[in-house]
Structures are given as C-alpha cells and as structure tokens.
Amino acid sequence: MFVPKVNEIQRRRLDAGYSCQKLSLLAGLPKNAIYRIELNQARYTYPIRARAIAEALHCKVEDVFTITEGA
C-alpha cells in the first residue's frame, strides 16, 4: 500500500493552485478524496490512486507517498 505524505501533497496542491476538489477531479477520483487524505482520514491509498494523484501533481509517486511492504 501507499501511505500519503500529507504535508507534501498539500504543499504541491497549493503550489499548483488546486483546491482539494480540483485535484481529486484531475486525478479521476471522487471529489472528496484529497480532502480525506489531507485530514488523515485515509491511512493508505491503493497504487492506482496514488499514481493518479502523483500524475495530477506532475511528480513521482515516491514524492507524495511512502511505499510500504506488500505494495
């Protein structure tokens, strides 16, 4: 699984000028997905979602997620 680096996701999102909802939609996720991640309501993220978020932020998955064993 992929553990979100909450502060890094939020920093990159704000630098890009995206709202939580905008980033969620750009990543093809439910509109509240990023909001939940930033509130630490999501302990881990599935690889496909992590990749979509990283792609929407124009960075590597490793920049915004910690990859745990079994991922």
Side-chain angles (χ1 to χ4, degrees), residues 7-21:
N7 292 336
E8 188 63 18
I9 292 171
Q10 186 175 43
R11 184 189 69 76
R12 289 174 183 264
R13 176 181 63 77
L14 293 172
D15 286 350
Y18 299 149
S19 66
C20 289
Q21 183 175 355

Side-chain angles (χ1 to χ4, degrees), residues 4-71:
K5 297 178 184 176
V6 175
N7 292 336
E8 188 63 18
I9 292 171
Q10 186 175 43
R11 184 189 69 76
R12 289 174 183 264
R13 176 181 63 77
L14 293 172
D15 286 350
Y18 299 149
S19 66
C20 289
Q21 183 175 355
K22 173 78 172 180
L23 179 56
S24 292
L25 295 175
L26 287 172
L29 304 174
K31 65 182 178 179
N32 66 343
I34 300 301
Y35 181 75
R36 291 185 66 235
I37 287 171
E38 289 187 4
L39 287 179
N40 278 322
Q41 293 179 348
R43 291 185 174 173
Y44 59 86
T45 302
Y46 289 104
I48 194 164
R49 287 183 165 210
R51 287 185 198 103
I53 292 167
E55 187 175 307
L57 289 171
H58 307 289
C59 65
K60 297 178 185 175
V61 174
E62 301 83 28
D63 293 337
V64 288
F65 289 89
T66 300
I67 303 170
T68 62
E69 288 296 317

